[in-house]
């Protein structure tokens, strides 16, 4: 497993002052940017232009999570906009291997996300093509949702597959991650954690990042 990374989501931040909100989390490993198109998920957020402005305003790497249809066509634009890491949903990609290679060729880290009900097993063979695998622990679309414990066995199976293949692919979880749930995810084998509400509802978001990191490190197998 890689080292523990905390990647706060700005979905729960103040959209009118995102530059200032990102400045409140200097301890973040990456900033998780939720891109939604109101088709793949019932919500609408940022596009490439907004992401480009964010990338210019911070030195923290951006991790774009594309909850959009037709990921094959749109994902490479987010690398061009300045994202260090781009995550597409396998349910929205027609050619995930080709897309992962295009993202990498453009200079980004390629990541693939699975909704809670999407099994990991059919994708075992393409894990070496990925820099990161994202297991959603809520249905994507809105922040502040309750963590789904039913996803824990899938995190364990994904970790076992990654270990079996000996790949350095990071295992990220997103959805309802808090001081309470991060320990369960870390025990199951995740090493990258997206936390939205937990970070931005805290009085001191950066101190919460440090607490989450410590909790995950203590719980690792």
């Amino acid at each position: 497993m890689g080292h523990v990374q905390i990647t706060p989501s700005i979905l729960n931040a103040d959209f009118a002052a995102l530059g200032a909100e990102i400045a409140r989390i200097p301890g973040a490993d990456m900033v998780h940017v939720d891109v939604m198109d109101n088709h793949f998920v019932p919500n609408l957020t940022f596009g490439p232009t907004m992401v480009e402005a964010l990338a210019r305003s911070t030195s923290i790497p951006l991790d774009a999570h594309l909850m959009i249809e037709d990921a094959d066509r749109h994902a490479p634009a987010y690398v061009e906009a300045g994202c260090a890491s781009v995550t597409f949903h396998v349910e929205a990609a027609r050619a995930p291997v080709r897309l992962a290679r295009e993202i990498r060729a453009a200079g980004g880290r390629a990541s693939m996300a699975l909704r809670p009900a999407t099994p990991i097993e059919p994708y075992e063979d393409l894990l070496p093509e990925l820099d990161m695998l994202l297991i959603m622990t809520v249905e994507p679309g809105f922040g502040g949702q309750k963590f789904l414990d039913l996803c824990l066995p899938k995190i364990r199976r994904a970790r076992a597959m990654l270990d079996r293949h000996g790949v350095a692919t990071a295992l990220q979880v997103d959805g309802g991650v808090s001081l309470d749930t991060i320990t369960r995810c870390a025990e199951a084998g995740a090493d990258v954690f997206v936390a939205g509400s937990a970070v931005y509802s805290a009085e001191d978001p950066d101190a919460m990042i440090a607490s989450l990191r410590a909790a995950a490190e203590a719980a690792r197998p």
Side-chain angles (χ1 to χ4, degrees):
M1 286 198 291
H3 68 286
V4 167
Q5 293 184 62
I6 308 294
T7 61
S9 163
I10 51 170
L11 190 59
N12 299 88
D14 176 0
F15 280 12
L18 283 178
E21 290 281 68
I22 292 174
R24 295 170 71 200
I25 53 168
D29 293 284
M30 291 189 288
V31 175
H32 190 84
V33 183
D34 291 292
V35 175
M36 307 183 189
D37 65 356
N38 218 14
H39 293 284
F40 184 70
V41 289
N43 198 356
L44 187 63
T45 57
F46 318 101
T49 315
M50 184 71 182
V51 167
E52 203 172 330
L54 282 180
R56 281 199 303 270
S57 73
T58 181
S59 59
I60 305 172
L62 300 185
D63 171 28
H65 176 193
L66 308 184
M67 290 165 266
I68 61 173
E69 284 177 358
D70 203 1
D72 303 76
R73 192 154 61 108
H74 298 297
Y78 286 87
V79 187
E80 284 155 34
C83 291
S85 173
V86 176
T87 302
F88 60 89
H89 266 266
V90 71
E91 304 90 353
R94 289 192 187 87
V97 171
R98 186 178 67 205
L99 181 54
R101 289 181 177 180
E102 278 178 12
I103 291 168
R104 281 176 157 183
R109 286 165 58 80
S111 171
M112 186 176 83
L114 279 67
R115 298 180 93 137
T118 304
I120 177 67
E121 286 72 17
Y123 306 106
E124 179 166 0
D125 291 339
L126 63 82
L127 294 176
E129 298 286 338
L130 304 171
D131 295 293
M132 187 161 70
L133 177 69
L134 169 55
I135 306 276
M136 290 299 297
T137 43
V138 296
E139 281 296 343
F142 293 92
Q145 296 187 69
K146 195 174 178 315
F147 179 84
L148 296 172
D149 276 293
L150 59 86
C151 298
L152 286 167
K154 184 157 90 177
I155 297 169
R156 284 194 194 93
R157 292 196 301 273
R159 168 50 60 201
M161 280 178 198
L162 293 170
D163 291 349
R164 191 159 61 240
H165 287 267
V167 289
T169 309
L171 182 54
Q172 185 180 50
V173 290
D174 177 8
V177 173
S178 64
L179 280 175
D180 172 42
T181 58
I182 197 167
T183 53
R184 281 176 267 169
C185 297
E187 278 164 7
D191 46 21
V192 184
F193 306 89
V194 180
S197 334
V199 169
Y200 276 107
S201 64
E203 210 167 302
D204 182 341
D206 210 47
M208 176 54 78
I209 291 171
S211 300
L212 288 165
R213 193 189 305 282
E217 278 168 356
R220 300 181 88 182

